[in-house]
Amino acid sequence: MSYDIHFLRRRDGQSWDEVLEAMEDAAAEGGEAMSVRVLEAWDRTVPQARTLLGAVEITADGQESRELSDSGTGIDLSVFGDEVSISVPYWHAGDDAAAVVGKVFALAAVVEKETGLTAYDPQVERPLMETPPQGVVGLMSRIAEDLRGRYGG
């Protein structure tokens, strides 16, 4: 389980539900190569992500995907075709969650700036930058503690 952020392009008059449905439809059609626009944004994003997160692992699958992973926080930035997302596992609670959420918000701001897409938080069904970070910290903490209670650890 992970806290996920999707980066979306919303046209005037289009609801977030319509944008999410179009994203799901595109994903069902199968993978396609990343556009030049997304590849260029990736190249600008990686150095900034390294500044924010430190040493990260980068993986690439031809022209279809890229992934940036931080083993310490579990934060993953992924690009599949033109679909961009951030995920972070529910490992973090309390002050640890606050630190990780701060990094997620900062990374999301970088991705927004470089791609021109909007970070959308499906957990609360609104753009990430309209979501109070303390609300995300609280949700992440509650779920992490619940999972620890269920599965130990």
Side-chain angles (χ1 to χ4, degrees):
M1 286 184 75
S2 61
Y3 199 98
D4 301 313
I5 305 298
H6 302 292
F7 292 85
L8 308 171
R9 184 172 317 281
R10 187 170 102 172
R11 295 185 304 274
D12 287 341
Q14 191 177 31
S15 72
W16 287 112
D17 287 338
E18 291 169 331
V19 174
L20 291 168
E21 187 176 315
M23 181 186 78
E24 290 170 6
D25 291 346
E29 291 175 12
E32 58 183 56
M34 292 183 289
S35 67
V36 170
R37 175 185 54 79
V38 170
L39 281 169
E40 289 172 348
W42 175 264
D43 289 342
R44 292 188 305 270
T45 300
V46 168
Q48 295 173 74
R50 283 187 169 130
T51 299
L52 176 66
L53 300 171
V56 294
E57 182 178 328
I58 306 288
T59 55
D61 183 10
Q63 295 298 309
E64 287 81 39
S65 69
R66 300 284 185 277
E67 186 169 10
L68 179 147
S69 300
D70 176 31
S71 62
T73 62
I75 294 172
D76 285 323
L77 170 61
S78 303
V79 179
F80 295 99
D82 280 349
E83 187 176 313
V84 182
S85 63
I86 293 175
S87 64
V88 60
Y90 287 112
W91 297 345
H92 312 283
D95 291 342
D96 187 35
V100 169
V101 166
K103 290 180 180 186
V104 168
F105 271 69
L107 182 58
V110 168
V111 174
E112 282 187 328
K113 178 184 77 167
E114 297 301 343
T115 64
L117 301 172
T118 300
Y120 181 80
D121 183 340
Q123 288 80 203
V124 296
E125 301 179 334
R126 67 177 148 211
L128 182 65
M129 297 312 165
E130 294 177 11
T131 306
Q134 59 272 34
V136 176
V137 170
L139 178 60
M140 184 174 286
S141 294
R142 284 190 303 278
I143 292 173
E145 293 297 335
D146 182 51
L147 291 171
R148 284 186 191 120
R150 283 188 196 177
Y151 303 108

